């Protein structure tokens, strides 16, 4: 059993609060990681920037275009003796699953740690998929830290463990821990010779037929032997209590706090499990001895509960409960845990919240496109072409989905270009466009477009190119530095016609979409416009030199700029209904000018000013 | 033990202020942990930080503040203050910005009518907690000529809420952590 202790900083002049993202990065660097690869995704979108800032002894960083590539590249590094780190979000693990199903067969020599940001509650994602089930499928150890210090410790341990079992090791970091900040204690950076070599070992590297079966068997034998090793876990409160509670990950601290608050410490024996897969059955059987009931409290589907029931069936006298008391969706919160214990132990609720506050109505302040965002202007054009005839607009994830009501579905990466193909083939007379950003195009959308070409599907794809993976912190995309000739690339895979248009010239975008609709085959409207949060010098100059004004005497109250363009910088006076431009937030993109049919929006040019980007 | 929420919208420097308050807490001998919530929006959505602060060593605490356990609330926008006051108890204290930041609600959404026709400050009037109305943005403009310094003044109220009197230490940490604000140092120290 591994104990735990709170770290308190004593040197206040060198204080540094570390969040979960930074803890992953610093732990990897302190463990002497040699090779880092990733595909950006919240909640672990800030790990790579920390590692990129390291100047001395920096690891090699591979900015992969999807998680499948990232996993394979890291595998190559670890097959060559390097310590490798792969970072992705939960849904990225689906993309990486193909190689990860086989990476355990090859007996890596350098540690390979796959850190995955999970998202119970879907705080930063389109879904909250529970990816724990991949651990028994891959047959990899799965570690789940419970606070920021534990993230640091666990990632470091994962490298050693990976080298011991010679398979990749999964580390899952819950979203609410990824953005939690505390003081942590770091260890001195590990000294390790950077000696890489590739050995041609056909017995482990050529996996086909009986070799593949043998290597699979050996992988299972390694993980089974590891399962018998001491469990990475700690227990608290009364070990003689009849009621046991088992937690993992972010739920541990929530449950601990509620138990203490309800003063249930004498009545509960709490076990937090960090090594979520494989559990050590003998340890758990011993821990259950003397208990009448055990409750597993965990986020999402009940993975740990299922694993425990699988291992303990017929071997323990106590009951094991879990998801029959807690939801399998969202984050487990203090209210749910509190209500459970209050009912279980027949307690009075000591919380003195104010019941009157339950009736307060506060509208959600949702995400939307920023002022000056090229996607806003482009969506106005798409709406203009499609909404009037009940057209279908296929949506993708990324910044183009920040205003989720602008498309007809929002599901997963490349859902726009993919789902649209099925609809286009069955409903050929229905107006339809698919949409997606350039990040999605290079992640997997290109192959999807080519598939549409091969199937001779008549469809138009709107490619939003803001020259950045903006949603997750402005990582570079292949179009950021102009490395890729997008027009030539699309033509090479058989796209019928590519229309290159300026996002803010809405009339041009409308013309291009309408022209594309007339042609057979696959067409792409390549809508270009830099992210408003990464303004060019010209954009900054525009902001200094221009003022925008709405002339209400000319305004025909058609409300196109307000209701259809939906720029947040255009605001309505609730008393008069008059519209005006909020110059503090307006970025002078002037997309609203081409929207107004009455020329009621005026641009006032100021004297030239020198602006530095 | 204090549970503090700092609430506002993207771009107001909520995350940065939380780091500064947390560092100040440690500098004066308190312990602190905090969790940032910024959702999917980068610039226009709700942002808030749940801070858990103790005089000595922090006990094991969940990342979020339990319902009914919010002791202190500092809000740089009244809508965002309302959003979190639901966690209050009878002796909660709140410092709330009076000017309303434009709230983008999907146009044609029924919520928009509600937003346009409701003053969130009116909603606060019926809430039985100790309320302090503040004009952080106006003060920042008058003092520094820049609305972005509003978080500095909100931070001063965080200190008061937490009973921290070492203002100079806060100021030192604030200007160290936000070098771009140094030009306003003289203005706020006067």
């Amino acid at each position: 059993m591994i104990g735990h202790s709170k770290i308190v900083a004593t040197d206040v002049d060198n204080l540094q609060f570390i969040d979960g993202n930074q803890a992953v990065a610093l732990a990897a660097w302190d463990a002497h990681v040699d090779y880092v690869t990733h595909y950006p995704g919240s909640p672990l979108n800030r790990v790579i920037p920390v590692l990129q800032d390291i100047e001395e002894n920096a690891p090699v960083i591979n900015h992969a275009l999807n998680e499948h590539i990232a996993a394979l590249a890291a595998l190559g590094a670890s097959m060559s003796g390097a310590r490798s780190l792969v970072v992705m979000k939960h849904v990225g693990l689906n993309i990486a699953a193909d190689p990860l199903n086989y990476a355990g067969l090859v007996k890596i020599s350098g540690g390979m740690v796959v850190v995955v940001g999970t998202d119970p509650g879907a705080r930063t994602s389109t879904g909250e998929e529970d990816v724990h089930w991949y651990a028994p499928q891959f047959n990899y150890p799965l570690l789940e830290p419970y606070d920021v210090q534990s993230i640091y410790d666990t990632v470091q341990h994962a490298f050693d463990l990976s080298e011991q079992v010679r398979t990749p090791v999964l580390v899952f970091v819950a979203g609410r821990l990824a953005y939690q900040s505390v003081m942590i204690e770091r260890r001195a950076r590990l000294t390790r010779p950077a000696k890489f070599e590739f050995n041609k070992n056909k017995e482990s590297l050529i996996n086909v037929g009986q070799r593949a079966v043998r290597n699979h068997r050996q992988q299972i034998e390694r993980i089974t032997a590891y399962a018998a090793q001491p469990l990475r876990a700690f227990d608290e409160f009364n070990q003689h209590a009849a009621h046991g509670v088992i937690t993992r990950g972010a739920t541990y601290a929530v449950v601990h706090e509620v138990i203490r608050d309800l003063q249930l410490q004498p009545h509960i024996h709490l076990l937090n499990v960090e090594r979520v897969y494989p559990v050590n059955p003998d340890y758990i059987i011993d821990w259950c001895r003397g208990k009448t009931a055990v409750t597993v409290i965990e986020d999402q589907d009940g993975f740990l509960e299922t694993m425990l029931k699988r291992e303990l069936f017929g071997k323990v006298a106590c009951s094991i409960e879990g998801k029959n008391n807690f939801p399998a969706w969202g984050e487990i919160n203090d209210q749910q845990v509190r209500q459970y214990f209050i009912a279980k132990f027949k307690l009075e609720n000591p919380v003195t919240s104010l019941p009157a506050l339950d009736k307060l109505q506060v509208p959600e302040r949702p995400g939307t496109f920023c002022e000056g965002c090229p996607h806003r202007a482009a969506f106005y054009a798409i709406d203009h072409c499609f909404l009037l005839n009940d057209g279908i607009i296929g949506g993708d994830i990324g910044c183009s989905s920040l205003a989720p009501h602008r498309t007809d579905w929002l599901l997963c990466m490349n859902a726009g270009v993919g789902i649209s193909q099925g609809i286009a083939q069955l409903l050929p007379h229905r107006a339809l466009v698919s949409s997606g950003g350039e990040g999605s195009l290079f992640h997997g959308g290109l192959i999807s477009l080519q598939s549409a070409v091969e199937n001779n599907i008549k469809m138009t794809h709107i490619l939003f190119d803001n020259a950045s993976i903006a949603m997750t912190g402005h990582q570079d995309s292949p179009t950021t530095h102009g490395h890729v000739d997008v027009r030539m690339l699309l033509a090479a895979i058989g796209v019928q016609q590519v229309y290159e248009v300026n996002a803010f010239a809405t009339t041009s975008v409308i013309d291009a979409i309408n022209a594309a609709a007339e042609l057979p085959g696959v067409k792409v409207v390549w809508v270009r416009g830099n992210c408003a949060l990464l303004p060019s010098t010209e954009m900054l100059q525009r902001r200094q030199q221009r003022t925008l004004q709405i002339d209400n005497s000319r305004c025909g109250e058609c409300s196109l700029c307000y209701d259809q363009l939906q720029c947040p910088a255009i605001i309505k006076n609730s008393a008069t209904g008059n519209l005006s431009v909020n110059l503090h937030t307006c970025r002078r993109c002037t997309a609203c000018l081409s929207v107004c049919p009455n020329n009621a929006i005026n641009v006032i040019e100021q004297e030239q000013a020198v602006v530095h980007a | 033990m204090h549970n503090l929420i700092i609430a506002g919208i993207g771009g107001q420097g909520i995350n940065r202020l939380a780091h500064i308050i947390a560092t100040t807490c440690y500098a004066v001998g308190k312990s602190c942990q905090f969790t940032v919530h910024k959702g999917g929006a980068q610039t226009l959505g709700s942002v808030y930080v749940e801070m858990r602060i103790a005089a000595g060593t922090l006990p094991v605490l969940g990342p979020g503040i339990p319902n009914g356990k919010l002791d202190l609330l500092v809000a740089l926008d009244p809508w965002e203050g309302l959003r979190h006051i639901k966690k209050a108890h009878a002796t909660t204290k709140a410092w709330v910005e009076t000017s309303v930041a434009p709230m983008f609600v999907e146009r044609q959404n029924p919520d928009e009518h509600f937003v346009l026709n409701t003053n969130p400050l009116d909603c606060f009037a019926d809430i039985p907690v100790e309320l302090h109305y503040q004009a952080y943005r106006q003060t920042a403009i008058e003092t520094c000529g820049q609305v972005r310094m509003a978080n500095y003044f909100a931070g001063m109220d965080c200190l008061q809420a937490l009973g921290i009197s070492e203002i100079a230490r806060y100021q030192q940490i604030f200007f160290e952590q936000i070098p771009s604000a140094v030009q306003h140092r003289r203005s706020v120290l006067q």
Side-chain angles (χ1 to χ4, degrees):
Chain A
M1 186 179 301
I2 311 292
H4 82 298
S5 59
K6 276 276 161 188
I7 305 300
V8 180
T10 51
D11 181 4
V12 293
D13 290 326
N14 289 304
L15 291 179
Q16 196 184 6
F17 279 87
I18 301 294
D19 71 14
N21 275 263
Q22 292 166 309
V24 171
L26 296 174
W29 189 73
D30 290 346
H32 204 297
V33 68
D34 303 296
Y35 189 85
V36 178
T37 180
H38 72 113
Y39 186 79
S42 300
L44 289 181
N45 55 321
R46 299 202 308 107
V47 173
I48 303 305
V50 174
L51 290 165
Q52 279 180 305
D53 282 348
I54 292 172
E55 290 175 357
E56 282 185 33
N57 302 315
V60 174
I61 299 180
N62 177 336
H63 304 286
L65 288 183
N66 67 32
E67 295 85 350
H68 182 112
I69 300 162
L72 285 171
L75 181 61
S78 285
M79 282 163 59
S80 307
R83 282 194 157 185
S84 70
L85 171 74
V86 196
V87 185
M88 63 188 73
K89 68 184 295 171
H90 59 324
V91 291
L93 198 54
N94 300 322
I95 312 299
D98 186 4
L100 290 178
N101 271 298
Y102 302 98
L105 305 182
V106 300
K107 292 183 187 163
I108 51 177
S109 50
M112 175 173 167
V113 177
V114 183
V115 181
V116 177
T118 63
D119 199 1
R123 286 176 182 273
T124 59
S125 311
T126 47
E128 56 172 359
E129 175 187 346
D130 189 343
V131 286
H132 286 77
W133 306 99
Y134 275 119
Q137 180 180 319
F138 296 158
N139 270 308
Y140 297 164
L142 165 57
L143 308 175
E144 197 161 355
Y146 58 92
D147 68 8
V148 181
Q149 179 70 51
S150 157
I151 292 172
Y152 178 86
D153 296 340
T154 303
V155 170
Q156 288 219 319
H157 169 68
F159 282 102
D160 295 336
L161 175 57
S162 175
E163 284 159 9
Q164 178 200 327
V165 296
R166 302 194 70 181
T167 72
V169 171
L170 300 167
V171 177
F172 286 1
V173 177
R176 49 184 159 175
L177 298 181
Y179 295 128
Q180 186 181 22
S181 293
V182 299
M183 296 287 179
I184 69 162
E185 185 176 85
R186 287 175 64 184
R187 295 181 193 88
R189 186 164 187 260
L190 184 72
T191 307
R192 191 171 176 275
K195 187 182 170 195
F196 311 126
E197 56 185 355
F198 180 81
N199 295 319
K200 296 187 179 186
N201 182 349
K202 290 184 180 172
E203 290 303 314
S204 65
L205 299 184
I206 305 295
N207 280 280
V208 66
Q210 287 309 303
R211 271 188 190 154
V213 175
R214 183 202 57 204
N215 289 343
H216 186 209
R217 174 174 58 79
Q218 288 178 352
Q219 184 195 353
I220 291 173
E221 286 168 355
R222 294 201 301 276
I223 197 93
T224 304
Y226 170 62
Q229 290 183 11
L231 188 65
R232 195 172 170 89
F234 60 85
D235 63 345
E236 292 178 329
F237 307 137
N238 183 2
Q239 61 178 321
H240 303 296
H243 193 112
V245 172
I246 299 179
T247 58
R248 62 169 172 81
T251 53
Y252 156 70
V254 176
V255 172
H256 175 108
E257 184 176 0
V258 173
I259 291 172
R260 227 185 39 238
D261 198 43
L262 296 173
Q263 299 181 339
L264 284 172
Q265 300 96 316
H267 308 290
I268 288 175
H269 190 197
L270 175 63
L271 177 71
N272 184 62
V273 178
E274 275 187 85
R275 194 181 90 196
V276 175
Y277 185 83
V279 292
N280 178 330
D282 291 339
Y283 176 86
I284 301 288
I285 290 167
D286 189 49
W287 187 85
C288 288
R289 197 158 288 134
K291 293 179 176 55
T292 56
V294 169
T295 308
V296 184
I297 306 179
E298 58 185 321
D299 287 324
Q300 302 190 294
D301 289 347
F303 173 80
L304 184 57
E305 177 193 356
T306 306
M307 289 300 119
L308 291 175
K309 284 178 172 170
R310 187 179 86 168
E311 296 292 342
L312 305 187
F313 182 73
K315 297 175 184 168
V316 292
C318 59
S319 66
I320 299 177
E321 298 185 330
K323 285 299 161 188
N324 52 330
N325 296 298
F326 295 93
W329 53 88
E331 289 175 332
I332 297 298
N333 62 44
D334 64 282
Q335 280 176 284
Q336 293 160 341
V337 177
R338 184 178 296 272
Q339 282 164 7
Y340 171 74
F341 284 133
I342 284 171
K344 189 86 180 172
F345 291 93
K346 298 181 173 57
L347 305 172
E348 284 192 20
N349 189 351
V351 175
T352 53
S353 57
L354 301 171
L357 300 180
D358 294 339
K359 293 174 189 160
L360 269 180
Q361 191 184 356
V362 184
E364 188 181 7
R365 196 187 284 267
T368 186
F369 301 131
C370 306
E371 300 90 347
C373 174
H375 302 333
R376 173 185 309 291
F379 266 106
Y380 173 83
I382 295 169
D383 287 353
H384 194 83
C385 297
F386 277 81
L387 288 188
L388 291 176
N389 55 1
D390 196 26
I392 299 168
I393 304 168
D396 195 356
I397 65 169
C399 262
S400 64
S401 67
L402 262 178
H405 55 286
R406 303 305 288 260
T407 61
D408 289 315
W409 61 81
L410 173 54
L411 213 60
C412 62
M413 254 180 143
N414 289 303
V417 66
I419 290 174
S420 295
Q421 294 181 37
I423 297 173
Q425 284 185 296
L426 291 177
L427 302 170
H429 303 299
R430 188 84 186 262
L432 178 147
V433 285
S434 63
S435 67
E438 91 279 10
S440 285
L441 180 80
F442 291 103
H443 181 274
L446 196 63
I447 203 83
S448 195
L449 265 182
Q450 186 164 7
S451 189
V453 169
E454 299 301 325
N455 286 281
N456 195 28
I457 297 172
K458 184 186 177 194
M459 62 180 286
T460 301
H461 181 66
I462 312 290
L463 171 58
F464 301 118
D465 183 359
N466 60 357
S468 175
I469 313 286
M471 184 74 164
T472 49
H474 294 105
Q475 292 85 358
D476 285 353
S477 81
T479 65
T480 304
H481 303 292
H483 295 151
V484 178
D485 187 330
V486 173
R487 184 183 285 276
M488 193 178 283
L489 179 70
L490 294 174
I493 64 165
V495 169
Q496 193 77 16
Q497 184 77 40
V498 178
Y499 301 87
E500 183 179 346
V501 287
N502 177 348
F504 301 106
T506 52
T507 310
S508 307
V509 183
I510 290 169
D511 290 346
I513 294 171
N514 285 333
E518 299 299 319
L519 292 177
V522 177
K523 292 83 54 182
V524 171
V525 179
W526 179 20
V527 184
R528 303 186 71 181
N530 279 11
C531 173
L533 301 183
L534 290 177
S536 61
T537 305
E538 184 261 330
M539 288 164 78
L540 291 169
Q541 277 178 336
R542 243 176 17 213
R543 194 163 184 177
Q544 277 213 349
Q545 293 167 4
R546 286 178 180 171
T547 299
L548 266 74
Q549 237 175 22
I550 296 181
D551 179 352
N552 278 285
S553 68
R554 298 180 72 174
C555 174
E557 298 180 6
C558 65
S559 210
L560 282 177
C561 62
Y562 185 82
D563 284 337
Q564 301 300 324
L565 184 65
Q566 302 199 31
C567 177
I570 297 176
I571 51 179
K572 185 185 274 186
N573 183 309
S574 57
T576 64
N578 283 347
L579 300 175
S580 60
V581 177
N582 179 348
L583 293 172
H584 291 297
T585 55
C586 170
R587 292 178 198 264
R588 302 354 178 227
C589 72
T590 63
C592 53
L593 262 67
S594 57
V595 164
C596 180
N598 302 309
N599 292 326
I601 305 176
N602 300 318
V603 177
I604 300 160
E605 297 285 349
Q606 313 287 319
E607 280 189 21
Q608 281 236 321
V610 179
V611 176
H612 302 285
Chain B
M1 175 78 204
H2 289 294
N3 291 318
L4 162 68
I5 288 181
I6 306 175
I9 62 173
Q12 288 183 327
I14 303 292
N15 186 11
R16 192 68 70 87
L17 179 60
H19 272 88
I20 291 163
I21 297 296
T23 309
T24 307
C25 284
Y26 263 99
V28 301
K30 295 177 186 286
S31 300
C32 178
Q33 69 177 47
F34 62 96
T35 307
V36 179
H37 305 267
K38 51 187 176 181
Q42 298 207 1
T43 57
L44 298 168
S46 302
V47 176
Y48 66 102
V49 182
E50 296 180 275
M51 304 191 74
R52 317 203 67 183
I53 299 156
T57 304
L58 274 179
V60 175
L61 298 167
I65 296 171
N67 210 29
K69 299 273 184 180
L70 173 67
D71 303 310
L72 310 162
L73 170 68
V74 174
L76 277 93
D77 172 80
W79 280 121
E80 298 312 312
L82 273 183
R83 196 180 307 286
H84 301 288
I85 200 76
K86 293 178 181 181
K87 288 189 169 184
H89 52 73
T91 58
T92 298
K93 296 176 184 176
W95 284 257
V96 179
E97 163 72 54
T98 47
S99 68
V100 182
M103 182 192 278
F104 178 84
V105 175
E106 176 191 340
R107 306 273 159 89
Q108 302 144 332
N109 179 326
D111 273 351
E112 194 206 7
H113 182 76
F114 177 77
V115 170
L116 284 174
N117 292 286
T118 307
N119 184 345
L121 293 170
D122 294 340
C123 304
F124 271 107
D126 298 328
I127 297 173
V129 300
E130 184 182 317
L131 271 171
H132 304 266
Y133 292 113
Q134 295 290 38
Y136 296 127
R137 279 184 255 189
Q138 188 61 33
T139 306
I141 291 168
E142 286 172 3
T143 311
C144 310
Q146 212 200 89
V147 73
R148 288 189 68 85
M149 285 294 286
N151 66 349
Y152 170 85
F153 297 99
M156 295 288 277
D157 279 343
C158 291
L159 299 187
Q160 187 190 335
L162 294 166
I164 295 173
S165 56
E166 289 89 337
I167 305 294
R169 198 66 202 267
Y170 164 73
Q171 289 165 332
Q172 179 197 347
I173 293 166
F174 187 95
F175 292 109
E176 276 173 8
Q177 294 206 9
I178 311 182
S180 62
V182 168
Q183 56 179 311
H184 304 299
R185 187 181 187 127
R186 187 172 292 176
S187 308
V188 299
L189 294 184
Q190 278 174 353

